[in-house]
Amino acid sequence: MSNSPVVIEVTRGPVVESRHEGIAAVVKADGGVVASWGDIDAAIMPRSAVKPIQAIPLIESGAVERFALGKEHMALACASHNGEARHVETVRSWLAKVGLGEGDLECGAHPSRLVWRVEELARASAPLTNASNNCSGKHSGFLTTSVQHGEPTKGYIRYDHPVQKRVRGVLGDLARLDADALPCGTDGCGIPTLAFPLRNLALAMANMADPTRLASKRAEAIGRLRAAMNAEPFMVAGTDRFCTRLNGKLGGVIQAKGGAEGVYCCMLPTLGLGVALKMWDGAGRASEVATATILDHLGVLPAAEREAIVHPPIKNVVGLLVGEMRPAKSWLG
Amino acid sequence: MSNSPVVIEVTRGPVVESRHEGIAAVVKADGGVVASWGDIDAAIMPRSAVKPIQAIPLIESGAVERFALGKEHMALACASHNGEARHVETVRSWLAKVGLGEGDLECGAHPSRLVWRVEELARASAPLTNASNNCSGKHSGFLTTSVQHGEPTKGYIRYDHPVQKRVRGVLGDLARLDADALPCGTDGCGIPTLAFPLRNLALAMANMADPTRLASKRAEAIGRLRAAMNAEPFMVAGTDRFCTRLNGKLGGVIQAKGGAEGVYCCMLPTLGLGVALKMWDGAGRASEVATATILDHLGVLPAAEREAIVHPPIKNVVGLLVGEMRPAKSWLG
């Protein structure tokens, strides 16, 4: 319970060249705040950090059994992926299973964040399609849920579509708020994205980590999603991604998911805690170092991981070490 | 002279989703501060924003005449370019003029920031070479100056090489400080990068805008560089770049150059002013909106440019308007 904010420094040689400020909360499923930095009652937009929550209605619908979906599909439903070959191919085969195709995805297409993947597609003269969108797994989950419930799939990204109503219902349950009353914007992939206090986002993550207070069907769905994120960490993000590293190396202990504009969330089931943070400037690089620092503070980061993610090096074009990122001394440095 | 910092907001729907904070100074060549926001005596690293200053020794050396260099080369010497075909080809032909090649560039190679350029090179199976580095023009200028002075070119990026000593001499003259005494790190392209107060960076830009206090040879070199930046704005940056827009649309009124980690500088010769700003979080997106806001505040931004760069839209993947960036009301909003 500290009022000092999260501060991450970026050094170059002997100088702190840049710094990032944010807020973070570590919360129990009963709402008790274990640790906090900055004003955690400030409203933020969780963006893609709540994809694991948005995937719950898919599991609850029974569609996983009906369409014989596996952990790779459940992990993809929680993903912001790189659009690598395995991501794209799995989305395509998934949509075929439910009788749909890429044209049903309403997320649009964008290039991969990986330069080598952009080059690979260019060399193959492969057109960029909706399945390459980092959100295509989530959207496949939305479409599948809609098919399972016998609804029209068209317009599934709209605020009033049953798909989005269910998502708000689950979010409200986990974050303990009236999701229908929240300010709403449009996410990068077209779905509604809501603004609410960071404290409630951490609480939602705590209910994901420790779902004992939830209905048993919901608790079971959450357990399956958490297991899928750890079993298929590549599907949650991909090559060289912080999410893949955490979900892969700390299976059972952490399920992690970031969001755009500097949001990061973790479920810590062994501790029964939820972690949520937002860097005010929207910097993903800082949200990762801040998350690593909090995980280290909570004692769940193996020593072998610590240095690389709490003090990540900054290298220049020729690979020379020119600086690092780190928590400021005024925070947890 | 305000203590309130530069604040840029990023909205999504009805919400301010992220915000960026920084410092800025508008200074005259006599050192008088016309306007300032935040602590302008804080030390920052100007990074590539001082490339026009680093290019002065090239002009002063007489190499432009000897090797028949044009405005395109002088603009490239001030550039952080996109590695587009014209940038790369001009660097190659320039190096050939002075009897050198890409292998003499010590900046290393990195992919273009433009996805379509990455795709173009991949389809052509063209290898990435040093001339593609955004700093290759500056490095070609360094090499050319070294050749002109009859020095060994190898190691021209090192702190003690005559090339870098000359750069420090000019910087010290324009910023009125002892550049040899400043804290030093290594830039992305391998050269030394110095830390000093933002006030002095704005003063250096004021001396670029109004070089009447400088030695006449230096003042003349600056005038040629400023003219080159306006005559060849594409060479300073490239397609879809803020620098290209300002230098191209506001010729004679503004010469502008950004740097990594949220730095932006402008020379305003008609007003005799220098502008320098640093966003603390290093966000380039915010440095551009902040620069546009200050230019508007100073009355040098045409109405036709105002909306697009003071309130740039944020669109999602399918092109829907989902928010904007803007100066906060607490600042100049």
Side-chain angles (χ1 to χ4, degrees):
Chain A
M1 252 75 61
S2 160
N3 273 329
S4 70
V6 173
V7 181
I8 300 297
E9 296 176 340
V10 183
T11 73
R12 182 167 298 264
V15 171
V16 175
E17 185 177 16
S18 300
R19 56 182 155 71
H20 303 272
E21 209 173 290
I23 55 177
V26 183
V27 173
K28 291 188 289 185
D30 66 6
V33 177
V34 171
S36 77
W37 298 275
D39 176 14
I40 65 171
D41 289 313
I44 62 115
M45 282 181 157
R47 307 289 298 276
S48 290
V50 289
K51 277 174 174 169
I53 294 174
Q54 293 167 333
I56 292 172
L58 168 70
I59 317 299
E60 291 182 341
S61 75
V64 170
E65 290 71 30
R66 175 172 163 200
F67 297 110
L69 302 177
K71 286 183 175 167
E72 67 274 31
H73 303 100
M74 288 190 270
L76 263 181
C78 304
S80 298
H81 63 69
N82 289 339
E84 296 178 67
R86 190 168 166 237
H87 301 127
V88 173
E89 286 156 15
T90 308
V91 163
R92 285 181 183 149
S93 63
W94 175 358
L95 290 170
K97 277 171 183 273
V98 300
L100 298 173
E102 285 191 68
D104 295 297
L105 294 170
E106 298 179 7
C107 50
H110 64 79
S112 173
R113 56 193 284 154
L114 296 173
V115 168
W116 62 259
R117 175 65 174 161
V118 171
E119 292 171 335
E120 186 174 76
L121 290 176
R123 280 192 295 267
S125 298
L128 203 59
T129 63
N130 292 350
S132 301
N133 186 305
N134 80 86
C135 303
S136 67
K138 176 181 70 178
H139 282 248
S140 297
F142 287 156
L143 282 167
T144 301
T145 312
S146 198
V147 168
Q148 176 71 357
H149 286 290
E151 300 153 0
T153 58
K154 197 167 162 57
Y156 70 89
I157 63 173
R158 297 169 64 117
Y159 188 87
D160 286 326
H161 191 282
V163 159
Q164 301 304 331
K165 286 184 181 172
R166 278 189 294 268
V167 164
R168 284 199 296 283
V170 174
L171 180 68
D173 184 28
L174 271 64
R176 294 201 202 124
L177 39 70
D178 177 7
D180 289 334
L182 299 175
C184 180
T186 304
D187 215 322
C189 66
I191 71 162
T193 184
L194 306 168
F196 56 91
L198 184 83
R199 178 199 296 269
N200 293 82
L201 179 57
L203 174 59
M205 291 299 143
N207 275 313
M208 293 288 285
D210 169 15
T212 48
R213 282 163 188 78
L214 306 177
S216 62
K217 184 179 171 184
R218 183 148 298 168
E220 192 218 327
I222 289 168
R224 293 172 74 185
L225 285 166
R226 289 209 331 252
M229 291 173 77
N230 286 154
E232 295 279 2
F234 177 86
M235 286 309 207
V236 178
T239 303
D240 290 335
R241 291 282 298 279
F242 184 66
C243 278
T244 296
R245 183 172 192 146
L246 286 187
N247 287 309
K249 298 216 172 175
L250 297 163
V253 177
I254 296 178
Q255 295 84 37
K257 184 71 189 70
E261 292 293 331
V263 178
Y264 212 91
C265 287
C266 293
M267 314 160 208
L268 303 177
T270 56
L271 301 179
L273 298 175
V275 181
L277 69 86
K278 159 85 180 176
M279 302 310 297
W280 282 125
D281 53 57
R285 67 178 184 179
S287 75
E288 295 180 358
V289 176
T291 295
T293 303
I294 291 171
L295 294 176
D296 188 41
H297 177 70
L298 295 173
V300 291
L301 206 60
E305 289 296 300
R306 190 179 185 284
E307 204 53 23
I309 61 177
V310 178
H311 293 93
I314 297 175
K315 295 183 178 181
N316 77 353
V317 172
V318 297
L320 192 74
L321 181 72
V322 296
E324 67 166 12
M325 294 190 63
R326 68 189 185 197
K329 285 222 160 41
S330 67
W331 183 47
L332 292 174
Chain B
M1 254 74 59
S2 160
N3 274 328
S4 71
V6 172
V7 181
I8 300 297
E9 296 176 340
V10 183
T11 73
R12 182 167 297 265
V15 171
V16 174
E17 185 178 16
S18 300
R19 54 182 156 73
H20 303 271
E21 211 174 288
I23 56 176
V26 183
V27 173
K28 291 187 288 185
D30 67 5
V33 177
V34 170
S36 78
W37 298 275
D39 175 16
I40 64 170
D41 290 312
I44 63 112
M45 280 180 159
R47 307 290 299 274
S48 290
V50 289
K51 278 176 174 168
I53 294 175
Q54 293 166 334
I56 292 173
L58 167 69
I59 316 300
E60 291 182 340
S61 76
V64 171
E65 291 70 29
R66 173 170 164 202
F67 296 110
L69 301 177
K71 285 184 175 166
E72 67 273 31
H73 303 101
M74 288 191 270
L76 263 181
C78 304
S80 298
H81 64 70
N82 289 339
E84 296 178 66
R86 190 168 165 237
H87 301 126
V88 173
E89 287 156 17
T90 308
V91 163
R92 285 182 183 148
S93 62
W94 176 358
L95 290 171
K97 278 171 183 274
V98 300
L100 297 173
E102 285 191 69
D104 294 298
L105 294 170
E106 297 179 8
C107 50
H110 64 78
S112 174
R113 55 194 284 155
L114 296 173
V115 169
W116 62 259
R117 175 63 175 162
V118 171
E119 292 171 336
E120 188 174 76
L121 289 177
R123 280 194 295 267
S125 299
L128 202 59
T129 62
N130 293 350
S132 301
N133 187 306
N134 80 86
C135 302
S136 67
K138 176 180 71 178
H139 282 247
S140 297
F142 287 157
L143 282 168
T144 301
T145 312
S146 199
V147 168
Q148 175 71 357
H149 287 290
E151 299 154 0
T153 58
K154 197 167 162 57
Y156 69 90
I157 63 174
R158 297 169 65 119
Y159 188 87
D160 286 326
H161 191 281
V163 160
Q164 301 305 331
K165 286 184 181 172
R166 277 188 294 269
V167 164
R168 284 199 297 283
V170 173
L171 180 68
D173 183 29
L174 270 65
R176 292 198 204 129
L177 40 70
D178 177 6
D180 289 333
L182 299 174
C184 179
T186 303
D187 214 323
C189 66
I191 70 161
T193 184
L194 305 168
F196 56 92
L198 184 83
R199 178 198 295 268
N200 293 80
L201 179 58
L203 174 59
M205 291 299 142
N207 274 312
M208 293 288 285
D210 170 13
T212 47
R213 284 163 187 76
L214 306 178
S216 62
K217 183 178 171 185
R218 183 149 297 167
E220 191 219 327
I222 288 168
R224 293 172 74 184
L225 286 167
R226 289 210 329 255
M229 292 173 76
N230 286 154
E232 295 280 2
F234 178 86
M235 285 310 207
V236 178
T239 303
D240 290 336
R241 292 282 298 279
F242 185 67
C243 278
T244 297
R245 183 172 192 146
L246 287 188
N247 287 309
K249 299 216 170 173
L250 296 162
V253 177
I254 296 178
Q255 294 85 37
K257 183 69 189 73
E261 294 290 331
V263 178
Y264 212 89
C265 287
C266 293
M267 313 160 209
L268 303 177
T270 57
L271 300 179
L273 297 175
V275 181
L277 70 84
K278 159 84 181 176
M279 304 309 297
W280 281 124
D281 53 58
R285 66 178 184 181
S287 76
E288 295 180 357
V289 176
T291 295
T293 304
I294 291 171
L295 294 176
D296 189 41
H297 177 70
L298 295 174
V300 290
L301 206 61
E305 289 295 300
R306 189 180 185 284
E307 203 53 23
I309 60 176
V310 178
H311 293 92
I314 296 174
K315 296 183 177 180
N316 76 355
V317 172
V318 299
L320 192 74
L321 182 71
V322 296
E324 66 166 13
M325 295 188 63
R326 67 188 185 198
K329 286 220 160 45
S330 67
W331 183 48
L332 293 174

